[in-house]
Amino acid sequence: MPTTALEPEKILKDLRNLWIDLGRENDLAGGVLRACGMTLVVAAEADMDMDALRHTLGVLMHTHPARAIVLRFHDSAGMQANVFSQCWMPFGKHQQICAEGIEIRAGRNELDDVAQLLLPLLAPDLPAVLWCRGPRVFWGDGFKPLHPLVEKIIVDSSTASDPYGALEAITSLRKQGRLVGDLSWTKLTGLRELIASLFDEGAAKGIRNVEVRYGGDMPTASALYCATWIRRSLSVPVTLKHTHEGPPGLRAIQLSGEHDVLLTRPDRTTMEVHCGERVRKSTMLLLSEETLMSEELSILGPDAAFDKVIA
Amino acid sequence: MLKPVDSQNPFADPLRFDRRVPDCALVIFGANGDLTKRKLLPALYRLAYERRLPDSFAIVGNSRTEMTDEAFRQKMYESVKQFLEDSPFDEDLWNTFVRNIYYVSGDLNDPKLYTELKTKLDALARPNVLYYLSTQPSYYGPVIEALGAAGLGRSTDRGWQRVVIEKPFGHDLDSARALNARVHSVFPEEQVYRIDHYLGKETVQNITAFRFGNGIFEPLWNRRYVNYIQITAAESIGVEGRGAYYQEAGALRDMIQNHLLQVMATVAMEPPAAFEQDQMRDERAKLLRSVKIMKPDEVSFHAVAGQYRGFREEKGVDANSQTNTFAAATFFVDNWRWAGVPFYIRSGKKMPKRTTDIAIQFNSAPHALFSSDDGRAPRPNLLILRIQPEEGISLRFLSKYPGSGMRLRPVSMDFNYGSSFGERSPSAYETLLLDAMVGDATLYTRQDMVEASWKVVTPILENWTERSFDFPNYDPGSWGPAESDAMLARNGHKWRNA
């Protein structure tokens, strides 16, 4: 679609025309179903790979159809916008589902103008979520003018150079009453579920203390989250310990109690649980950005477990 | 993502953790039948695809046909490939999934079968076992008793034993009671899962969400604002080779006694105090017990039977069959909320289209300021809960037609599942099988619900058994016999044949 001057009414008109065109193109093939359950505002750097982001959005739309508003910030001044659609044919169906999108390019010092422009572009009366994609977008520049416009802010603290500072920033945001999601926390869901299942099965009984081991120079945000989560769930001492084995990140968890249980990650796809002589292997893949985002977008209200960790 | 792994578990995170299926085996009796091929195996495969089943999950199929494990696996492979809906088939996943599929042949009346089954289950060493009765209904009692005799029905400290029973649960009130007694001689009620797949449909579950999750509808959900309610389950196909079975059942038994009365209970029940299985089922049961039982002389006034032209020529159908392929009834609920509001329920085969929906017709505005653009009195608001095929909700209301003057025209406000939630909802069998394995019976029917719904239809069944109908009385492709329209017309109402 052609570039549009930045008047919200004109962008919305372009969106309407986009749907008219889509309807015409698909008229003979059963038409299109316009899907929109929320607004997803993606704040990203101008040099970000737009194809990769489009792919992520394309996959996300299948489970969370949304009006996507992609904000790309660059160093020079000047705002531009264009509209686009993401369509897919559900497996075994005959009608395409399409979601709409708006891409806005703006200078870094035009954030206030962007916030003003954004308000009329949000899908009315539906939830709005801000996804700060990329390290500078959230941690460096402080996108505060956008925060009041959305119900939830999603960040990825693994992109921050200082994980302690990142967690502090998230805690502070939460204390201001904002709902926050952190993909570093989302990455832990599989591991947390595994630990919960050990408790259910009785393998992790009478735990007295826990050691969370990490590789790299300092603990990652995920390692910090994991340690805090265990400490606050069990009220037992939890130690963070550096290990030279393996790459940076969360490497192992030792639960010491009636039986000692050791969870290790021998490679990128497996989790091993050592309980006495027994070793159990579980597949634990590194999740894609769209999988992590999909989980976060399915929670648009308070998240008690995460709140407990960042409190 | 609904239930905690364990509410006592300090690590529980019900918002994010999937409900965990424990190590278990599923034993399917009637594994060579249509239900297993078309519904159960595709649903189980899909659960495996979604990683909802443990790696150790095992299936043991049984039927009379002699077959090796390998032959059974091949059959199931073909079935899943053919009947998997809305999902791609993944060969690699199947190769993992199929390793734990086994087969034990044997006659359901032969005690040896249960000894062999016990040997197989002992060898598999799964602590929990779910038995699924997908056999002819006449086998339900004998199979359950045989399981008990073989020591296979008792839950222990090591694990649970549960049984899923397909409909029909009895063919009348007495037989349902007798079957319940036989079932309870082996399995206590909390281990019994009577399946009604309508309750597993996302759209039927959404009725509860729609009513009790929103503040604006429930205040209107009563006799003061609702004029009448219609529930329609229409099929465009006929009996499709199931003539022999269908001849014994008929639309009243096959659809209304179970599925549609359960849907009606979900639409009309009181709000439960909590979204918990017993509280939900208590309210549905209470509603079914409140349905006014027709007196014998009321049946011809409040119920209509039909049979489509050509049914008697179907394979396996008696040339003088009196079976109803269409049934419609007017029910009233004797409680404060619904007193005097008719619930019209109909189900039929060979109707103009396949559709299941619930239409709630509200009262007209108390004072008519406007007329509609066709000069008639404005049409009242109508709320439609569409169960299938276009799952969604619509609200009809009046709007001013653009231009000078004040002409009103009905318009529709639509919610479509696809437009808000993307592409796929789990099938009813995925939901219900998972529920049975995690021990959640909310969407299963309880003994008292089954018996209450049989009581509701008993006067109609008795009346229709004694009568001789002048069948066939409706054409394929029509909305049933004229008497069905007349039944509503007597109250000044019309079927919504949209």
Side-chain angles (χ1 to χ4, degrees), chain B residues 3-5 18-28 39-60 97 100 126-132 155 159-164 190-195 277 427-444:
Chain B
K3 302 251 163 82
V5 168
D18 284 330
R19 293 183 296 171
R20 212 162 54 82
V21 175
D23 282 352
C24 69
L26 170 65
V27 177
I28 304 174
K39 299 292 181 190
L40 299 184
L41 255 293
L44 291 165
Y45 170 82
R46 180 69 205 193
L47 288 173
Y49 182 87
E50 301 269 359
R51 302 178 64 82
R52 307 297 297 271
L53 299 176
D55 295 343
S56 59
F57 177 72
I59 299 170
V60 181
F97 181 67
N100 282 326
R126 305 295 190 267
N128 308 295
V129 184
L130 181 66
Y131 300 99
Y132 198 113
S155 291
W160 46 256
Q161 314 275 300
R162 296 177 187 142
V163 62
V164 178
E190 63 270 18
Q191 291 170 231
V192 182
Y193 290 70
R194 295 174 196 81
I195 197 164
Q277 63 177 28
S427 72
Y429 280 95
E430 284 168 51
T431 303
L432 293 167
L433 282 166
L434 194 68
D435 281 359
M437 288 187 273
V438 299
D440 181 354
T442 307
L443 301 175
Y444 284 85

Side-chain angles (χ1 to χ4, degrees), chain B residues 170-338:
Chain B
H171 55 89
D172 56 21
L173 179 60
D174 289 342
S175 59
R177 281 178 172 155
L179 179 56
N180 270 325
R182 293 177 85 175
V183 170
H184 288 160
S185 70
V186 178
F187 292 95
E189 181 63 26
E190 63 270 18
Q191 291 170 231
V192 182
Y193 290 70
R194 295 174 196 81
I195 197 164
D196 185 322
H197 76 270
Y198 258 60
L199 291 180
K201 288 178 183 284
E202 280 287 322
T203 36
V204 174
Q205 292 181 65
N206 193 37
I207 296 169
T208 312
F210 182 81
R211 288 189 58 197
F212 306 131
N214 296 295
I216 61 168
F217 300 107
E218 201 51 27
L220 309 179
W221 217 260
N222 56 54
R223 62 192 302 270
R224 193 165 169 204
Y225 299 99
V226 174
N227 198 286
Y228 61 89
I229 293 177
Q230 292 183 7
I231 301 175
T232 296
E235 289 178 79
S236 56
I237 56 170
V239 291
E240 304 290 301
R242 291 168 66 230
Y245 159 75
Y246 199 81
Q247 180 166 251
E248 300 305 315
L252 186 66
R253 279 196 177 95
D254 194 47
M255 290 295 294
I256 294 182
Q257 181 273 331
N258 38 69
H259 302 320
L260 299 190
L261 280 175
Q262 290 299 332
V263 170
M264 175 180 159
T266 310
V267 169
M269 71 187 200
E270 294 298 314
F275 186 61
E276 287 170 5
Q277 63 177 28
D278 281 338
Q279 308 220 26
M280 290 291 289
R281 300 202 296 175
D282 285 348
E283 293 303 338
R284 283 210 299 268
K286 201 165 85 186
L287 188 284
L288 289 168
R289 286 196 299 271
S290 308
V291 177
K292 190 178 174 189
I293 308 296
M294 288 179 206
K295 295 192 180 99
D297 61 345
E298 290 174 328
V299 171
S300 55
F301 198 73
H302 288 314
V304 174
Q307 186 189 88
Y308 65 81
R309 255 172 262 289
F311 174 68
R312 289 172 175 176
E313 284 80 57
E314 300 269 8
K315 194 179 160 202
V317 175
D318 191 275
N320 297 308
S321 172
Q322 287 286 304
T323 301
N324 53 84
T325 61
F326 172 95
T330 306
F331 294 115
F332 290 91
V333 178
D334 277 345
N335 65 17
W336 277 53
R337 184 189 284 261
W338 295 115

Side-chain angles (χ1 to χ4, degrees), chain A residues 271-287:
Chain A
M271 200 80 208
E272 279 183 1
V273 181
H274 303 255
C275 189
E277 297 292 300
R278 281 177 47 213
V279 179
R280 193 172 89 192
K281 286 188 178 188
S282 301
T283 306
M284 201 161 289
L285 303 172
L286 291 176
L287 299 178

Side-chain angles (χ1 to χ4, degrees), chain A residues 33-36 62-63 65 88 90-91 93 97 185-186 189 192-193 195-197 199-201 229 233-234 283 295-296 298-299 302-303 305, chain B residues 1 5-6 8-13 15-20 51 55 84-89 390-391 416-424:
Chain A
L33 186 64
R34 182 179 187 169
C36 183
H62 292 212
T63 44
W88 66 98
F91 190 87
K93 303 277 179 180
I97 301 182
W185 169 252
T186 325
T189 301
R192 293 194 303 119
E193 214 167 352
I195 294 173
S197 73
F199 198 89
D200 266 353
E201 291 159 10
W229 175 66
S233 299
L234 291 180
T283 306
E295 183 175 323
E296 279 307 319
S298 66
I299 301 168
D303 179 349
Chain B
M1 309 249 294
V5 168
D6 178 341
Q8 301 303 309
N9 188 327
F11 294 116
D13 185 352
L15 213 52
R16 293 181 190 257
F17 295 173
D18 284 330
R19 293 183 296 171
R20 212 162 54 82
R51 302 178 64 82
D55 295 343
L84 187 64
E85 287 174 6
D86 307 340
S87 302
F89 183 82
E390 296 292 328
E391 297 92 343
N416 179 306
Y417 264 75
S419 65
S420 291
F421 300 120
E423 56 180 311
R424 189 182 186 277

Side-chain angles (χ1 to χ4, degrees), chain A residues 41-55:
Chain A
V41 182
V42 188
E45 297 294 333
D47 55 6
M48 165 209 59
D49 180 354
M50 191 60 193
D51 287 341
L53 179 60
R54 283 260 177 100
H55 168 78

